[in-house]
Amino acid sequence: MKIIVLKFGGTSVGSVDRIKNVSNIIISYIKKKYRVIVATSAMSGVTNELVKKSEQISSNFTPEEYDVLVSTGEQISCSLIAGRLNHLGYKSRSWLGWQVPILTTGNYSSSRIKNIYKKDIVKYLKLGGIPIIAGFQGINFQNRITTIGRGGTDSSAIMLARFFKAEKCIIYTDVDGVYTTDPNKIKKAKKIKIISYEEMLEMSSLGAKVMQPHSIQDARLNRIDIEVRSSFKKIKGTTITKRKNIINNKIIRGVSFTNNDAKITLIGVKDKPGVAASIFEPLYKNSINVDMVVQNISSNGKETDLTFTIKSDDLIKTEKLIKKNKKIIFKKIIVDNKVSKVSIIGVGMITTPGVTFRMFNALAKKNINIIVISTSEIKISVLVNRKDLNKAISVLHKEFNLEN
Ligand code: ADP
Ligand code: ASP
Ligand code: MG
């Protein structure tokens, strides 16, 4: 069987007309003799509305009920697609996560897919049916409904491709591929024809929403090639694949950014072994993710200043935890909710000296102050004031020749 997995994102199924459009896309693959498995997101905006409702009901909405609630959007869209295909004379039906079943492990709202039971779907495919599977959801060992993180239908699609040994996995979205930076923000962004898993993983982890980071990890582990393309335009998209398949002379592939960061600085922290661990322990215990960290040594050697970043949503909680932490002594706490992280990504930087200098120099020339820096083998991130964000993305995009 020549199997293909097609994923449709929220905007692609955002209205009745768009659902009619994706049904035609599905049929075009049936006509090319593929057995098609579809993974669908909720109609755009629906999941956000559900999240809002949970917050209005309770500030302590339980994780179990949260997953039951927010997974319902996908039930609507998968049924509408199947219904449209039926209307056009095709055999199709919807499948919710628990019906497949798609087995997950881990915490509610950030579970990971562990296993997908294939039997019923294989039987259905052999009978010429088109299964439309609700993305983003699964069921755990306690027999309860789970979700796999916002944007998770990307992961659902990759895992379906893995378990059904699909020839291809195509992610249909509202842009016609992966760009050098967000094309909805920077007009000069250029489409990337082919990109490695490693670079894509960094790009999405550092803010490029076009693919969910976990899905890229899953694709890399299982060697699944992905094509990202538009459900609105019939043009070739971007291939995400292993590094060996790529000949590329660009040092930097893309610029990613986030604009929901916050920064906390502790001034005059009593410096003794274990102090950093004491600061971060309660944050870790409350599932607050610390991103960038920088520590300065003070002139007297007894005190230090420590700066770190977190998501702005976690700011109030973090501030409270720090203030009531009896294990640390400090003089002052400064919080700043108006910072953004800008990152350049590319495997080329492993073998090319001077990338750091070029980045810092380009930002300096535009008077952009760097607050914190963090690096890995294939990326350099800097924290800047949010007012400088657009300028920083543009200048780095130009500096590393991404405009042509
Ligand atoms: P879907 O609903 O199809 O899953 P998303 O909204 O999750 O779509 O992702 C698509 C969006 O990702 C685009 O509309 C675009 O604004 C944003 N985006 C951010 N960075 C990039 C990038 N480097 N390339 C393409 N799109 C990007
Ligand atoms: N509907 C979910 C979300 O909005 C999952 C997805 O779209 O992939 O996060
Ligand atoms: Mg998405």
Side-chain angles (χ1 to χ4, degrees):
M1 268 201 295
K2 205 166 74 160
I3 294 179
I4 193 166
V5 172
L6 309 179
K7 179 257 172 173
F8 297 100
T11 318
S12 305
V13 296
S15 68
V16 166
D17 279 342
R18 287 180 176 179
I19 286 190
K20 289 180 180 170
N21 174 52
V22 307
S23 304
N24 294 336
I25 295 174
I26 296 167
I27 292 168
S28 72
Y29 287 93
I30 296 289
K31 288 188 173 151
K32 283 186 225 154
K33 303 282 178 245
Y34 278 104
R35 306 279 181 171
V36 182
I37 299 176
V38 174
T40 182
S41 292
M43 297 168 89
S44 55
V46 169
T47 314
N48 285 346
E49 278 304 316
L50 294 165
V51 171
K52 231 188 263 164
K53 285 197 174 81
S54 75
E55 290 164 355
Q56 286 163 354
I57 286 286
S58 163
S59 57
N60 260 325
F61 205 80
T62 65
E64 292 86 345
E65 292 311 328
Y66 177 90
D67 279 10
V68 174
L69 177 71
V70 300
S71 61
T72 55
E74 274 70 14
Q75 179 162 345
I76 300 172
S77 48
C78 68
S79 156
L80 287 173
I81 297 173
R84 180 66 187 173
L85 291 169
N86 294 157
H87 171 85
L88 296 171
Y90 289 82
K91 183 180 169 76
S92 179
R93 64 156 278 197
S94 60
W95 251 283
L96 300 181
W98 65 269
Q99 293 176 306
V100 177
I102 294 174
L103 209 64
T104 65
T105 57
N107 295 333
Y108 292 98
S109 83
S110 58
S111 294
R112 300 291 296 266
I113 296 174
K114 193 169 168 59
N115 204 352
I116 298 180
Y117 289 88
K118 291 170 30 175
K119 209 174 95 232
D120 291 352
I121 290 176
V122 167
K123 210 155 87 189
Y124 193 68
L125 286 168
K126 282 186 177 154
L127 293 171
I130 311 168
I132 316 294
I133 296 166
F136 182 47
Q137 55 175 267
I139 185 169
N140 64 15
F141 287 101
Q142 286 76 42
N143 221 15
R144 300 202 64 160
I145 287 172
T146 55
T147 62
I148 59 172
R150 295 302 306 271
T153 306
D154 292 335
S155 253
S156 307
I158 304 289
M159 293 307 264
L160 284 164
R162 172 195 158 187
F163 280 98
F164 287 90
K165 298 198 169 49
E167 199 169 274
K168 258 180 131 176
C169 181
I170 305 184
I171 304 289
Y172 277 96
T173 182
D174 58 3
V175 277
D176 58 14
V178 177
Y179 278 67
T180 48
T181 190
D182 188 345
N184 289 324
K185 193 162 180 92
I186 303 290
K187 288 284 154 282
K188 288 185 174 160
K190 286 278 171 324
K191 187 156 79 184
I192 300 170
K193 280 195 189 128
I194 183 163
I195 185 168
S196 64
Y197 297 121
E198 289 79 6
E199 288 166 317
M200 189 67 236
L201 181 58
E202 290 284 6
M203 280 198 50
S204 51
S205 308
L206 295 165
K209 186 179 170 231
V210 61
M211 288 299 296
Q212 192 215 29
H214 285 323
S215 72
I216 304 299
Q217 273 173 335
D218 292 335
R220 180 170 64 163
L221 278 174
N222 298 294
R223 296 288 168 212
I224 293 160
D225 283 358
I226 307 169
E227 186 185 349
V228 180
R229 59 185 298 165
S230 165
S231 59
F232 307 120
K233 289 189 214 160
K234 274 195 185 145
I235 49 175
K236 219 171 153 18
T238 298
T239 301
I240 306 170
T241 184
K242 51 178 178 271
R243 224 191 273 185
K244 246 184 35 209
N245 295 343
I246 302 172
I247 315 159
N248 153 44
N249 51 15
K250 283 230 163 46
I251 303 166
I252 299 302
R253 290 327 295 284
V255 180
S256 282
F257 57 89
T258 54
N259 43 25
N260 57 347
D261 299 277
K263 170 178 75 105
I264 293 191
T265 302
L266 299 179
I267 308 273
V269 183
K270 249 219 162 97
D271 199 9
K272 53 178 184 192
V275 65
S278 305
I279 293 170
F280 294 129
E281 188 185 8
L283 308 188
Y284 149 74
K285 284 191 171 153
N286 282 275
S287 304
I288 294 168
N289 201 13
V290 174
D291 182 14
M292 305 169 103
V293 182
V294 60
Q295 185 178 345
N296 299 322
I297 298 168
S298 69
S299 48
N300 64 12
K302 290 181 188 144
E303 286 167 350
T304 175
D305 298 341
L306 188 115
T307 297
F308 60 92
T309 66
I310 48 171
K311 292 280 151 263
S312 20
D313 284 348
D314 292 330
L315 183 59
I316 295 170
K317 201 166 152 194
T318 307
E319 209 180 338
K320 273 191 198 148
L321 288 168
I322 297 278
K323 285 181 176 163
K324 71 171 198 201
N325 185 345
K326 298 225 163 53
K327 284 194 190 158
I328 49 171
I329 299 166
F330 57 90
K331 286 193 177 131
K332 200 168 143 193
I333 176 167
I334 303 170
V335 301
D336 183 352
N337 209 357
K338 295 228 156 21
V339 288
S340 287
K341 186 169 71 173
V342 188
S343 310
I344 56 172
I345 296 112
V347 291
M349 70 173 78
I350 300 174
T351 48
T352 315
V355 176
T356 317
F357 166 74
R358 276 176 70 185
M359 179 181 197
F360 296 172
N361 195 42
L363 293 170
K365 275 198 202 144
K366 292 280 172 193
N367 256 329
I368 298 169
N369 187 35
I370 300 172
I371 310 169
V372 184
I373 302 161
S374 79
T375 63
S376 79
E377 207 181 22
I378 66 165
K379 66 108 184 175
I380 308 168
S381 301
V382 294
L383 194 73
V384 299
N385 288 316
R386 197 163 301 156
K387 67 171 175 41
D388 291 331
L389 176 64
N390 284 7
K391 204 162 65 169
I393 304 167
S394 296
V395 68
L396 295 174
H397 199 259
K398 185 151 186 243
E399 172 66 30
F400 292 100
N401 304 322
L402 297 175
E403 287 171 8
N404 36 52

